[in-house]
Amino acid sequence: MALALALPSLLVLIQQQALQRQPPHLQRLINAAASSGPAALQARFSRPMDSASLQSASALQPNLSHRWLGSSDALLLALTAGQRLEQPLQLRLAGRDRRGLALQPRLWHWDPRPRVLAVVPVAGGEQLQLREHDGSWQPLSPIWPRLPVIEPLGDGSGVALASQDALGAYHLARIPLQQRNLVASPQQLGPVRAAAPQVLDGRALMFAHLSSNRRGDLLVQSSSSEGSSSEGSGSEGSESRARLWRAQGGSQALALAASGPMQLLPEGDAVVVPGPEGLSLQALPPRPPRRQTLPGNRDLSAFCPRSGRALLVRHWPDYRRSLELVEPGQAPRQLWIGSEALVASACAGGGERIWALLIDGTGQPELTLLALDRRGKLLRRQRLTGWELEPGTGLSFDPSGDRLLAALRRLGPIEQPPAPAQAVLIDARSLQLQPLQRQVRQVIWLPAG
């Protein structure tokens, strides 16, 4: 009987010893949002790893500066800031765990560069199209009379959109996307594949605004002629219903009252809500209700990649505007103030570099692009003579290529109709323009998933 009782314990001990002698292996390797550098990978191993051995034994081609961050079995491979990616990378992943056992080396091919996503005018209406890294364009959607709202999901898994029919009603849909940006063989790297659009809301809507976070969750603000909520377009005093669609599946209604468009926090656990008293940051379920308010007449302009940083536009009683950087636990820091219209901004890292688009003048207003540091020091000023920003569009930053993206159109004589907008890349250092020779209504980066 003693032997029978001891046998299970002996088997467990033998299994433990066998497991201890097994080498570590990679359980998961995925793209991660880079807070400071051009790109990052999140790795999970079966055993706690020695990050120093990963640093010395792993290699990147081209040979870019990088660091392994973290501890235990979850580590982050982060590329050092200031580098530009112009081609896919090859990663040789190797190293040892804390017991000294070697990881089986493996080769990975990684392309963290985002792609240009655009609404393109075509015969019969407008269409969602995507520009591949080789410069080719491919359609992702059917043709609709109008496509006024697009929102790439923050994890790169799809695009949410609101199309408009001939009567002006909005219709919500989501287009799932399959990206192949992290593969074992270079032949597996390929173009994005789009599935058929999926209807999100079968009702005809009067208004729709979309926002996503890095997890791939989607916040939908909408209003329709059905129900008791007031109809509005997100302007002050209007009401709209809000629904959060989770990346893992399912959705839930949110009891949030806003005077304008709401934006999900990139980290995914809260939402920025504009109200009469100012901007408020409100926690999302299942977190306990919590609300922080920043008083004043401010608008959210852009989020920075690093957690908790954002750019705000403040409106002053004398009709001036200022650009502010907000950081956790600090009062907003003013970076710029003036009488020009501040129409768009973008941010790198935690606000180390900031870009602002200004419009000045009447008749044929002049467009100016500013590059600032986190203290508001002017790094570069570029007059974009002969160009104007497509109304309702913004400015977005690609850290992997250190470039900005905008929809700009050339100025012509006042008596003539405005020229169609073009997708334009802007070097983030020199502020020089590179038109892509594609007519667009709006453009934005699709994150590499």
Side-chain angles (χ1 to χ4, degrees), residues 179-433:
Q179 299 196 49
R180 293 173 290 170
N181 301 318
L182 183 61
V183 294
S185 168
Q187 289 75 27
Q188 293 176 309
L189 292 172
V192 174
R193 295 177 179 175
Q198 301 172 346
V199 175
L200 284 179
D201 192 324
R203 297 169 298 177
L205 304 173
M206 302 289 291
F207 152 73
H209 172 75
L210 308 175
S211 173
S212 184
N213 57 31
R214 291 174 187 158
R215 300 176 183 176
D217 300 328
L218 177 68
L219 176 64
V220 177
Q221 273 178 278
S222 65
S223 61
S224 68
S225 57
E226 304 172 10
S228 58
S229 64
S230 302
E231 307 307 330
S233 59
S235 59
E236 189 172 351
S238 67
E239 296 180 3
S240 60
R241 62 174 63 90
R243 178 167 289 273
L244 183 65
W245 297 79
R246 296 289 187 182
Q248 298 84 359
S251 68
Q252 63 185 120
L254 300 179
L256 298 174
S259 63
M262 296 184 285
Q263 298 288 339
L264 287 177
L265 209 64
E267 293 71 40
D269 54 3
V271 58
V272 177
V273 181
E277 70 282 4
L279 293 175
S280 66
L281 185 65
Q282 301 187 35
L284 289 172
R287 294 181 62 199
R290 186 183 179 188
R291 177 184 176 125
Q292 298 173 284
T293 299
L294 178 64
N297 188 4
R298 292 178 169 93
D299 298 324
L300 174 65
S301 183
F303 286 112
C304 298
R306 191 171 300 168
S307 175
R309 278 74 171 178
L311 298 177
L312 307 179
V313 176
R314 185 172 185 178
H315 304 270
W316 293 87
D318 59 1
Y319 301 104
R320 292 182 302 165
R321 298 170 182 85
S322 61
L323 183 65
E324 300 175 333
L325 174 65
V326 62
E327 301 177 273
Q330 299 184 28
R333 180 189 304 130
Q334 182 174 287
L335 305 173
W336 172 90
I337 186 169
S339 58
E340 299 97 324
L342 203 166
V343 292
S345 68
C347 181
E352 289 78 15
R353 289 185 297 159
I354 291 159
W355 299 269
L357 267 176
L358 310 176
I359 296 179
D360 190 24
T362 57
Q364 282 200 338
E366 188 171 75
L367 191 64
T368 301
L369 179 59
L370 304 181
L372 309 168
D373 69 7
R374 63 181 297 106
R375 298 293 173 183
K377 178 184 177 181
L378 181 64
L379 302 176
R380 188 175 290 272
R381 181 186 186 97
Q382 183 72 37
R383 294 188 183 277
L384 307 185
T385 305
W387 293 93
E388 66 177 340
L389 183 69
E390 176 72 6
T393 64
L395 191 66
S396 53
F397 176 61
D398 163 29
S400 70
D402 202 19
R403 53 190 178 169
L404 301 159
L405 177 65
L408 304 178
R409 58 190 186 189
R410 293 191 180 274
L411 288 171
I414 299 177
E415 63 274 7
Q416 293 184 2
Q422 300 180 49
V424 178
L425 295 175
I426 306 173
D427 187 288
R429 300 174 190 173
S430 68
L431 305 187
Q432 296 302 305
L433 306 187

Side-chain angles (χ1 to χ4, degrees), residues 1 22 31 36 45 69 113 145 178 202 237 288 293 297 308 312 328 352 359 375 427-428:
M1 181 176 293
Q22 286 184 358
N31 275 293
S36 297
F45 300 91
L69 305 173
R113 298 172 296 170
Q178 180 187 5
T293 299
N297 188 4
L312 307 179
E352 289 78 15
I359 296 179
R375 298 293 173 183
D427 187 288

